[in-house]
Amino acid sequence: MENKITNTGTATITIDGKSYDLPIMEGSMGAPGIDVRALHKKTGHFTFDPGYTSTCSTESQITFINGQEGQLLYRGYDIESLAENSSFLEVAYLLINGDLPNKDQHKKFTSTITQHTMLHDQVESFFHGFRRDAHPMAMMCGTVGALSGFYHDDAHTTVDAARDMAIHRLIAKIPTIAARSYKYSIGQPTVYPDNSLSYAENFLNMCFSVPAEKYKISPTIARAMDKIFILHADHEQNASTSTVRLAGSSGANPYACIAAGIACLWGPSHGGANEACLNMLQEIGTVDKIPEYIARAKDKSDPFRLMGFGHRVYKNFDPRSRVMQKVAHEVLEELDLQNPILDVAMELEKIALEDEYFVEKKLYPNVDFYSGIVLSALGFPTSMFTVLFALARTVGWISQWNEMLEDPSQRIGRPRQLYSGATPRDYVPIDKR
C-alpha cells in the first residue's frame, strides 16, 4: 500500500517541565493525528485511551466517515450513490481493489465468486454437530473458522494468487454458510446455491426455497437485499474490523481472522443493534402505547431507551438510514403486510422526525432501525439479523485484512496498559495463609 500520509507540523508535549516534539500526520480527509510511536522511547510514557476512541490504529484508504456531516465514503464514492447505482459485487470489487470494475473485470469477478459458492461436503456435515436451537451466529462463527482446516495455504500472507483465492472463497461461501445456518435452525433441508441467480437472489433462494415449492424471487426484494449488503459492507475501524486486523497482524489464517470478526460482531453493542431495535418495537406492541414509551425515553430516571435512534459516530443523519428508509417503504409496499409491529415502527419514525426533543438532539432513525424493520418483513427471525450483517461485512473485513498485509508499516498488534494490580510481594506457603 502506497503511503499517502504527510507530515504537516509538530505537536509539543510537556511532561514534568520538559518538552518533546511529536510529528503531526495528515491524510487526504479528516482530522490529523499526532504520531506517538516514539512517545515511550522519548518520554518513558504511554498514552491512555480505553476503547481507542482517540487513537488511529492504522492508515487506511478504504472507508471514510465524517460523523458531523453525516458522510460515508467507500474509496471516495458516496454510500448513497453506490447503493442507488451499484450492485453488491461491484462494491465488493471496489473495496478490495480500490476502483470500480470495468465490464470485463466485473464479469470475471462475478464469475469467480459464483464458481466458489458450494461448500465442501464435510463442511456441510458440521452443522449436524450443533443443537437444533443453536444460535445461527454460533454456527456461522464455528463454520467459518473451520474453513481454515480446509484451506490452510500458508502463502495467503505472501503470494497474491493465494490471497485472492482466500478473498474470493470467503465472499462466495459466506452466503451459503449463512443460509445453511438459517435452514438448520428452522429444521428445513439444505438448498444448494444456484449459479444462474445474482448474489442477492441466490441468498434469498437458499433461505426461503423449499423442495416442495418453487420460490418466486421478487426483483424489489432482491434489490432491497442487495442494498442492505452494500450499506453494511464496511464502516471504518469499528470493533469487529479492528478485531480482524489485530488477528491478521499475527499472520493468522484469513478464515480464522474473519471468524474472529464474526465473534466480535455478535455483541449486542455492535451487530446486535437492529435485533435490539426490533425487540423494543415488540415491547411497545401497539401504536396507542407509543406516547407512553416516548415519555419514558425522555425521562432520564427511567431505564427504558429507544433503540435505533442516533449513532455514536454520526452526529447528524446516518447517510445509510436515508437509503434504508426508502428501502423499508418499498419492501412494505411490495409485501403489503398487516403487522402491528411494523405499524409501530412507521408511527415511531414519523414522531422521531417531527418531535422537537428528537430533532434538537439529532436522534434520527439510524440504519439499524430500518434494517430491523425490513429484515423482519422479509421473514427473517431476529436471530438472523446479525448473520446478515456479518455476510455483508465480510467484504469489508477481507478488504481491510488485505490492505493490512500490503502496508509496509504493519506490525503485530500489541496494545499497552496501565497496570493497577498488586505490587511485588513474597510467596506465602499454603499452611501459613
Side-chain angles (χ1 to χ4, degrees):
M1 182 179 73
E2 181 186 354
N3 189 305
K4 296 184 179 180
I5 300 296
T6 56
N7 187 331
T8 59
T10 302
T12 302
I13 181 172
T14 302
I15 301 175
D16 296 331
K18 188 173 181 179
S19 296
Y20 304 89
D21 291 336
L22 298 169
I24 297 175
M25 312 304 288
E26 194 161 346
S28 56
M29 296 178 72
I34 300 172
D35 187 348
V36 298
R37 283 175 288 186
L39 181 67
H40 181 254
K41 184 178 180 180
K42 286 184 175 183
T43 72
H45 290 71
F46 294 123
T47 57
F48 183 61
D49 184 22
Y52 313 116
T53 55
S54 295
T55 298
C56 301
S57 61
T58 188
E59 174 194 350
S60 180
Q61 299 172 9
I62 297 174
T63 304
F64 176 77
I65 297 172
N66 184 331
Q68 297 296 329
E69 299 297 326
Q71 182 183 48
L72 171 60
L73 306 178
Y74 288 171
R75 299 283 192 178
Y77 292 97
D78 183 82
I79 187 63
E80 294 177 75
S81 176
L82 289 173
E84 189 63 34
N85 300 296
S86 265
S87 68
F88 177 66
L89 286 185
E90 189 176 33
V91 170
Y93 185 97
L94 168 70
L95 290 173
I96 295 163
N97 297 289
D99 291 301
L100 288 168
N102 59 33
K103 287 184 178 180
D104 289 341
Q105 290 168 332
H106 184 259
K107 182 179 179 180
K108 181 179 179 181
F109 182 73
T110 301
S111 175
T112 301
I113 299 301
T114 302
Q115 290 168 11
H116 286 90
T117 53
M118 291 285 290
L119 297 178
H120 192 288
D121 198 53
Q122 286 179 301
V123 175
E124 285 281 356
S125 68
F126 290 169
F127 289 94
H128 296 285
F130 290 100
R131 286 170 49 121
R132 278 291 178 187
D133 58 354
H135 196 289
M137 278 294 279
M139 289 186 266
M140 194 173 190
C141 185
T143 306
V144 172
L147 291 179
S148 59
F150 288 80
Y151 311 113
H152 42 75
D153 187 350
D154 292 336
H156 61 252
T157 60
T158 57
V159 179
D160 289 346
R163 196 188 309 171
D164 288 344
M165 181 59 72
I167 290 170
H168 296 152
R169 280 182 179 141
L170 275 160
I171 296 172
K173 295 181 189 303
I174 285 286
T176 310
I177 293 172
R180 185 70 184 91
S181 300
Y182 173 60
K183 283 296 195 182
Y184 186 81
S185 69
I186 61 174
Q188 288 188 1
T190 303
V191 176
Y192 289 102
D194 184 341
N195 289 356
S196 69
L197 301 174
S198 71
Y199 195 84
E201 289 173 338
N202 184 45
F203 176 68
L204 289 167
N205 188 66
M206 287 190 291
C207 286
F208 299 119
S209 177
V210 292
E213 185 176 340
K214 186 175 177 61
Y215 175 64
K216 296 180 181 179
I217 302 173
S218 159
T220 300
I221 301 305
R223 182 60 183 149
M225 194 81 262
D226 203 61
K227 286 186 178 182
I228 290 173
F229 292 159
I230 291 172
L231 296 177
H232 290 86
D234 199 52
H235 208 239
E236 223 186 63
Q237 303 306 314
N238 52 79
S240 58
T241 298
S242 298
T243 297
V244 171
R245 277 185 173 263
L246 189 60
S249 73
S250 71
N253 183 285
Y255 304 96
C257 294
I258 299 304
I262 293 170
C264 181
L265 186 72
W266 195 355
S269 296
H270 192 3
N274 50 13
E275 183 175 345
C277 177
L278 197 68
N279 290 337
M280 174 205 69
L281 295 174
Q282 291 170 340
E283 180 182 346
I284 296 173
T286 54
V287 171
D288 60 293
K289 292 183 180 178
I290 289 178
E292 171 194 340
Y293 280 89
I294 291 288
R296 289 181 59 186
K298 295 178 181 179
D299 184 354
K300 293 182 180 180
S301 63
D302 193 304
F304 175 78
R305 292 291 180 268
L306 281 176
M307 305 300 292
F309 294 86
H311 195 279
R312 180 181 178 182
V313 173
Y314 298 106
K315 307 308 177 187
N316 204 312
F317 215 93
D318 180 344
R320 300 170 300 171
S321 67
R322 284 193 286 257
V323 179
M324 278 305 304
Q325 180 188 44
K326 183 179 178 182
V327 168
H329 288 279
E330 288 172 351
V331 168
L332 295 179
E333 182 179 348
E334 170 81 3
L335 298 176
D336 192 25
L337 295 175
Q338 300 300 316
N339 187 322
I341 300 303
L342 298 178
D343 292 339
V344 170
M346 292 299 98
E347 182 62 23
L348 199 56
E349 173 202 30
K350 181 181 177 182
I351 292 173
L353 294 175
E354 298 175 355
D355 189 286
E356 186 176 325
Y357 174 85
F358 290 93
V359 174
E360 182 183 338
K361 295 182 178 295
K362 296 185 177 180
L363 295 176
Y364 302 111
N366 61 32
V367 69
D368 297 312
F369 177 81
Y370 291 113
S371 63
I373 295 169
V374 172
L375 296 179
S376 177
L378 294 180
F380 287 105
T382 54
S383 61
M384 277 293 292
F385 287 6
T386 317
V387 171
L388 275 89
F389 194 162
L391 190 168
R393 185 56 57 85
T394 293
V395 165
W397 289 332
I398 206 67
S399 300
Q400 299 272 350
W401 171 82
N402 186 49
E403 181 183 63
M404 179 204 65
L405 292 180
E406 295 177 346
D407 185 352
S409 66
Q410 184 270 324
R411 300 173 64 188
I412 185 171
R414 181 58 170 87
R416 302 294 184 167
Q417 66 173 16
L418 283 181
Y419 177 69
S420 58
T423 53
R425 48 185 173 172
D426 294 330
Y427 178 81
V428 179
I430 192 168
D431 58 345
K432 294 183 179 180
R433 292 176 208 158

